[in-house]
Amino acid sequence: MVHRSRARSSSLFLMELILAILFFSVASAVCVEFFVKSHLLSRDSEVLTHAVNECAGAAEIICTSESLEESIHLLMQCYPEGEYPEMEDWTEEKDLVQVDISLYYDADHMPCGLDAAEYILAICLTREAQMIKADFEMCRNADMQEAPVIYRLQAKHHIPRRTERHER
């Protein structure tokens, strides 16, 4: 009879141990899921911060210039690895000029060439009379039609008219 009570108490202990292990395994699975979601949010936040900074930096370069040509030359100096249009496309004196520029970034968010690009900053500059309109789109390096846009920015810059007296 003593032997039977030991069997009952050991089976009860075993059942309690199994329930404790089950509880801790479910709790650890939930914690791992939280850590994974936290890591993904952190990575997406880092990419968004980079996109905002690069778009704002390029917009500042364009807004400090006094012409479309100067804007493109300044971008070429700051981002020599970018893809720029032929000079004839944007130096002609027309009322409406549109220029597309692509800047490339690697996985560490450093400017690079197309072959190592992880992200693409597409800039569309439009000059209409005395106004430069700039549209910026930062995307992952995939087909531009299917790549989700990480960040989009639009900037406008008025080019002041200068007379000979006001020339620098």
Side-chain angles (χ1 to χ4, degrees), residues 46-166:
E46 179 183 342
V47 169
L48 179 61
T49 300
H50 163 69
V52 169
N53 289 339
E54 290 301 321
C55 289
E60 286 297 321
I61 289 171
I62 291 167
C63 288
T64 59
S65 64
E66 295 184 10
S67 67
L68 180 67
E69 293 81 9
E70 185 181 355
S71 298
I72 296 172
H73 283 298
L74 288 172
L75 284 171
M76 285 176 159
Q77 288 175 354
C78 294
Y79 304 100
E81 301 90 0
E83 189 175 298
Y84 299 93
E86 296 297 322
M87 190 173 283
E88 300 86 36
D89 296 341
W90 49 271
T91 55
E92 296 178 14
E93 292 297 324
K94 298 181 200 174
D95 287 339
L96 178 64
V97 177
Q98 182 171 339
V99 177
D100 293 320
I101 299 171
S102 296
L103 305 178
Y104 305 108
Y105 299 90
D106 62 10
D108 295 328
H109 310 294
M110 299 300 294
C112 67
L114 177 60
D115 54 340
E118 185 78 20
Y119 303 99
I120 298 175
L121 174 56
I123 304 172
C124 179
L125 296 175
T126 307
R127 181 185 68 205
E128 187 172 354
Q130 292 300 111
M131 184 70 71
I132 295 176
K133 179 182 167 194
D135 294 313
F136 304 88
E137 283 189 356
M138 178 71 85
C139 328
R140 292 203 182 272
N141 187 11
D143 185 17
M144 292 297 281
Q145 301 297 334
E146 296 178 17
V149 175
I150 297 170
Y151 185 71
R152 184 175 285 134
L153 177 67
Q154 188 176 60
K156 292 182 180 178
H157 174 59
H158 181 265
I159 304 169
R161 291 188 184 185
R162 297 193 182 270
T163 62
E164 289 181 28
R165 193 179 82 193
H166 293 102

Side-chain angles (χ1 to χ4, degrees), residues 1-12:
M1 291 240 184
V2 175
H3 187 30
R4 276 190 191 185
S5 68
R6 276 191 182 174
R8 286 183 188 164
S9 66
S10 65
S11 66
L12 185 61

Side-chain angles (χ1 to χ4, degrees), residues 8-22:
R8 286 183 188 164
S9 66
S10 65
S11 66
L12 185 61
F13 175 73
L14 185 60
M15 185 64 77
E16 186 178 334
L17 188 62
I18 289 172
L19 288 175
I21 291 172
L22 181 67

